[in-house]
Amino acid sequence: MAEFWLISVPLDKTSLTGVEKLKRTAAKTSLASCCKFFIPDLKVSLCIIFPTEVRVNVIKKTCQCMKEVMEPSSDKVLESASANEEDLVSYMTKFQWDKAKYPTALPLSSLAGSINKEVSQVETELKSRAAAYSSVKANLQSLKRKLDGSLQTRSLNDFVKREDLVVSEYLTTLLVVVTSYSQWENTYESLTEFVVPRSSRKLYEDREGGVFSVTLFKRAVCEFKAKAQESKFVVREYSFDVEEKQQREMKRLTAHKKEQYGVFARWLKVNLSEVFIAWIHVKVLRVFVESVLRYGLPVGYQVLLLQTDKKHSKRLREELASLFIHLDPTASMKDVSCDIPGLSQQEYFSYVCFHISTSMLEIS
């Protein structure tokens, strides 16, 4: 899983020497890949407001929805994730600030507010669309469980024909779930005196047992059901027309789910891209602001994008600490309290560093 670190160092001679050493080390080892990261000239005001982080849970929720929607191919979520029609790694390494959406002439607070408003709108629509899709999916699954369930509930329309059911002014046909065939054959005619002799036929069977028809007078139905229950026979509530209606509903819901799948999947892919892009733009704002706060004015710093993985992170941290310790000899890799709005607890290093991980796209 790709991990990116955005680091910023001032343009003093020692730091620039450290950058060159870092590039050589990265080229010779597998610690990380290293490239320059361009941040535009943003507007510095007298009062710098530290931009709050885009809610990462929105990205996670979008990915989770993609996993649920894609179902059999849910392990392909990360592969299908993109930003500006590029894979996430390419987008990061070739990052360009979107001046059309986020004009650099605007104050930082306005830029951050605009980005977060955009993400909030995506989150609101995501909840609505996810609820609608989940409703269709749940209704279909519920009906499917019923029609494909036990002998007492499953659809029998593929096995029962209209001519199997006698329905007249005085007579009716019941369907009975039977596990002991011999017991049924020996007793069904005597459960009530109004059963038509030799009227029982086996219509369907599976591992649970069989479904038998039996014809009797309508006035004896209640008595027959009670006696059948005593003998552990289950009389099914069955209507050919009702089950035919349920089959039509199954086809309708299946088609509706397929249609919704296409619409929702496309929406998720587009908006995952939008939210990821917004998240990266806020990261850039944060790098800019902390660099100004750390290194002062006039603005003068260099930003590098490091791509690494977890197994190399500790060694890479040690290398960076060694190269840039001159920026703040007291810095440690321990968490420290931070009074900057938007940061309650943050790892502090001698250089500016922000972590960007695509691990939120790996939903378990």
Side-chain angles (χ1 to χ4, degrees):
M1 188 60 62
E3 290 201 359
F4 300 96
W5 297 354
L6 276 177
I7 70 167
S8 166
V9 296
L11 298 177
D12 62 82
K13 185 176 180 180
T14 306
S15 296
L16 293 178
T17 300
V19 168
E20 293 306 314
K21 288 182 179 178
L22 175 62
K23 290 179 180 178
R24 288 195 295 272
T25 301
K28 292 178 181 179
T29 68
S30 57
L31 276 183
S33 62
C34 178
C35 64
K36 283 188 177 181
F37 191 90
F38 177 73
I39 292 183
D41 294 328
L42 298 169
K43 189 173 181 179
V44 180
S45 58
L46 293 177
C47 178
I48 295 182
I49 299 176
F50 208 94
T52 55
E53 185 67 273
V54 166
R55 293 187 297 279
V56 178
N57 66 317
V58 180
I59 303 177
K60 291 182 178 180
K61 287 177 184 176
T62 306
C63 291
Q64 184 64 50
C65 282
M66 285 186 73
K67 180 182 176 69
E68 292 170 0
V69 169
M70 293 175 75
E71 293 171 344
S73 56
S74 59
D75 57 333
K76 305 292 185 181
V77 170
L78 185 58
E79 292 180 20
S80 65
S82 63
N84 272 358
E85 299 183 352
E86 293 186 293
D87 64 84
L88 301 184
V89 173
S90 297
Y91 174 78
M92 290 296 301
T93 55
K94 296 188 265 183
F95 174 81
Q96 289 185 338
W97 182 272
D98 191 340
K99 293 184 178 180
K101 285 183 72 174
Y102 313 120
T104 54
L106 291 177
L108 297 179
S109 58
S110 297
L111 288 174
S114 174
I115 294 172
N116 276 288
K117 181 180 179 181
E118 176 188 344
V119 174
S120 294
Q121 289 172 342
V122 171
E123 183 177 28
T124 299
E125 189 171 356
L126 173 63
K127 289 178 181 178
S128 175
R129 287 177 176 268
Y133 183 78
S134 295
S135 177
V136 173
K137 185 178 176 182
N139 289 338
L140 179 59
Q141 288 177 336
S142 176
L143 186 56
K144 200 168 184 179
R145 279 196 299 269
K146 181 179 180 181
L147 297 183
D148 295 341
S150 67
L151 284 177
Q152 298 180 36
T153 62
R154 70 173 303 166
S155 173
L156 296 175
N157 270 22
D158 291 338
F159 313 100
V160 179
K161 299 179 176 60
R162 286 189 181 273
E163 52 265 32
D164 293 325
L165 307 176
V166 176
V167 180
S168 68
E169 183 178 357
Y170 299 107
L171 296 174
T172 187
T173 299
L174 299 180
L175 300 184
V176 184
V177 178
V178 176
T179 54
S180 174
Y181 292 2
S182 59
Q183 181 188 2
W184 170 255
E185 294 290 350
N186 293 331
T187 62
Y188 81 90
E189 292 181 354
S190 61
L191 292 178
T192 173
E193 60 179 316
F194 297 105
V195 173
V196 176
R198 294 185 297 280
S199 63
S200 178
R201 291 179 54 232
K202 183 175 68 177
L203 303 180
Y204 175 77
E205 69 175 338
D206 63 11
R207 293 179 181 179
E208 293 181 48
V211 176
F212 287 75
S213 64
V214 60
T215 302
L216 65 157
F217 283 83
K218 289 181 178 179
R219 63 179 179 172
V221 167
C222 290
E223 180 186 1
F224 182 89
K225 286 182 176 180
K227 293 293 182 65
Q229 185 175 9
E230 291 176 6
S231 299
K232 298 184 179 180
F233 303 133
V234 179
V235 178
R236 273 197 53 162
E237 296 298 328
Y238 180 84
S239 165
F240 190 91
D241 292 335
V242 170
E243 293 216 5
E244 196 173 58
K245 183 179 178 181
Q246 289 177 333
Q247 291 287 357
R248 289 197 299 270
E249 179 66 3
M250 170 80 85
K251 291 179 181 178
R252 187 191 72 80
L253 286 173
T254 301
H256 187 42
K257 178 175 178 277
K258 185 177 180 180
E259 178 187 354
Q260 289 297 307
Y261 166 85
V263 174
F264 193 27
R266 286 191 296 273
W267 185 91
L268 286 167
K269 188 171 183 178
V270 169
N271 284 275
L272 176 60
S273 170
E274 293 300 310
V275 174
F276 185 83
I277 290 170
W279 184 47
I280 300 306
H281 277 73
V282 168
K283 286 287 189 183
V284 170
L285 289 179
R286 290 164 70 88
V287 171
F288 174 80
V289 171
E290 186 162 336
S291 296
V292 172
L293 293 175
R294 281 275 199 112
Y295 309 138
L297 296 173
V299 176
Y301 60 91
Q302 180 177 163
V303 180
L304 296 175
L305 177 68
L306 304 179
Q307 182 183 344
T308 186
D309 53 50
K310 287 186 178 180
K311 66 180 181 180
H312 293 128
S313 60
K314 183 178 179 181
R315 188 178 161 200
L316 181 58
R317 283 294 183 204
E318 292 171 350
E319 182 71 20
L320 291 170
S322 172
L323 292 173
F324 303 113
I325 190 65
H326 66 281
L327 295 175
D328 187 349
T330 65
S332 69
M333 293 176 65
K334 297 179 180 179
D335 288 345
V336 296
S337 296
C338 184
D339 295 327
I340 300 174
L343 291 179
S344 55
Q345 200 77 9
Q346 177 81 9
E347 280 189 310
Y348 181 80
F349 308 103
S350 57
Y351 48 92
V352 172
C353 181
F354 282 92
H355 179 237
I356 300 171
S357 175
T358 58
S359 61
M360 86 272 305
L361 305 181
E362 195 174 50
I363 308 296
S364 60

